[in-house]
Amino acid sequence: MSIIVPVILCGGSGTRLWPRSRAAMPKPFLPLVGDSTLFEAALARCPGAGGFAAPVVVTGHKHLAHVEAQLGAVEGAQVIVEPSARNTAAAIALAACRLPEDAVMLVCPSDHHIGNTEAFAVAAAAAAKLAQQGWLVSFGIEATRPETGFGYLKRGDAIPEHGGFRTAQFVEKPDLERAKAFLAEGIYAWNGGIFAFRVKDFLAELTAHRPDVAASVADAVAKGAEDGQRFHPDAATFAEVPSVSVDYAVMENTTRAAMVPADMDWSDIGNWQALHEALETDADGNSVRGSGTVEMVNCRGVLVDSDGPRVSVIGLENVIVVVDGDDIMITTIAGVQKVGKLAGAVNQ
């Protein structure tokens, strides 16, 4: 049985959740759903008692303090500090170059919410078994609505014994009509960016399809330095690594792509509406977060998140109200994708 190593990717600024999520304290490190932060929840889903090794966390300098404060004293944990952001292929390759070649990497974003942790554990075990057979595995998140904000995985032939399937096709974010057709066909799943593969298989595929990324990352690791649980790749070398996602670099090119179905109450918490959907609501679909006093009258589908000031809302539907210090952001549900383009979000 290969060891299963959680590789937690901590990057990005979460600007679509501005003003609560900010560049200095982005969404992975906030308790958006429940009392734990999204990063803490990602760690808790991969316990030693569940067959997981100590985690490898890949993050940047600006988030290092948050990572170490919330990681705590986990024996054997590694924190790889990226000198610069070079997308997910390079981030995963950094972790791979620091692990035994037969280890199974379970690559997880740090900023997703998974409500059904038991279903996650079942999917992780199935993915690990496939990875041990040389497959490069994606979690196929059950599509519950015609979502245009996610990529999709098309389910291919079943792989006997392990409950998985070949990935017949990786599909870019569709328009609404295609998304509706995918949902009706029933063989498409959301691509949630969670992967499992053996170190040696991932590095072999990366070398085959993007040798420039593989060689540059390996060189940066060879020239890097340890500092306690931290590892610092060589900055000058890593700066030359091409920026490309793991999907483009490896998963869409390999002939060994597989998927495991995962119905686990998943959300990427990618905007305020996604957060609203992940929260408990009252009979009218309203939610309240934060420490502030909130009063709603004749409202439906409203989320209010206030860190102090009283907020009173009357007669609104499908609206988000956020108060963070001196910043107030109000949007309709239809406008949530534009929050990250606001001046306050961009000019941090």
Side-chain angles (χ1 to χ4, degrees), residues 65 81 175 209 221 266 312 338:
V81 186
D175 60 26
H209 301 293
V221 170
W266 170 90
S312 303
K338 299 178 181 178

Side-chain angles (χ1 to χ4, degrees), residues 25-295:
M25 178 67 91
K27 67 172 179 169
F29 309 110
L30 300 173
L32 295 176
V33 185
D35 296 328
S36 299
T37 70
L38 297 177
F39 174 58
E40 289 169 337
L43 294 169
R45 285 193 290 271
C46 302
F52 294 94
V56 176
V57 181
V58 184
T59 192
H61 285 282
K62 64 182 180 180
H63 299 155
L64 180 59
H66 301 316
V67 165
E68 293 185 333
Q70 297 186 14
L71 176 61
V74 179
E75 185 177 355
Q78 293 188 62
V79 180
I80 300 176
V81 186
E82 291 182 292
S84 51
R86 284 298 178 268
N87 216 316
T88 52
I92 296 168
L94 283 174
C97 288
R98 296 280 296 165
L99 291 170
E101 66 172 13
D102 285 325
V104 171
M105 307 168 66
L106 181 66
V107 178
C108 303
S110 62
D111 57 354
H112 291 182
H113 168 68
I114 294 175
N116 188 337
T117 56
E118 291 182 1
F120 169 83
V122 169
K129 288 180 180 178
L130 285 167
Q132 288 159 10
Q133 302 301 315
W135 295 96
L136 282 75
V137 189
S138 303
F139 278 40
I141 311 297
E142 183 186 30
T144 57
R145 61 184 184 274
E147 175 62 58
T148 60
F150 304 144
Y152 285 72
L153 306 170
K154 183 179 181 180
R155 188 174 71 229
D157 295 335
I159 301 172
E161 299 180 11
H162 296 308
F165 301 86
R166 286 182 174 272
T167 304
Q169 185 182 2
F170 287 81
V171 184
E172 295 298 313
K173 297 175 183 178
D175 60 26
L176 183 58
E177 291 306 312
R178 286 192 76 201
K180 289 179 179 178
F182 290 166
L183 196 65
E185 196 167 347
I187 59 171
Y188 288 86
W190 293 332
N191 182 359
I194 305 173
F195 308 100
F197 25 70
R198 278 187 309 203
V199 166
K200 62 184 178 184
D201 298 318
F202 172 75
L203 290 177
E205 292 290 333
L206 184 64
T207 300
H209 301 293
R210 287 303 302 259
D212 50 349
V213 175
S216 297
V217 171
D219 192 23
V221 170
K223 295 175 180 177
E226 292 186 359
D227 174 19
Q229 70 175 353
R230 302 175 184 175
F231 178 79
H232 298 271
D234 181 72
T237 306
F238 194 72
E240 300 303 317
V241 177
S243 179
V244 60
S245 74
V246 67
D247 291 281
Y248 284 127
V250 173
M251 300 305 293
E252 296 183 14
N253 296 309
T254 180
T255 61
R256 300 288 292 173
M259 57 183 286
V260 293
D263 180 8
M264 54 190 188
D265 188 19
W266 170 90
S267 173
D268 70 340
I269 313 293
N271 56 53
W272 281 106
Q273 174 60 5
L275 176 58
H276 191 187
E277 291 172 352
L279 296 172
E280 293 185 3
T281 59
D282 64 17
D284 294 313
N286 301 316
S287 295
V288 175
R289 282 193 75 257
S291 57
T293 299
V294 176
E295 181 181 11

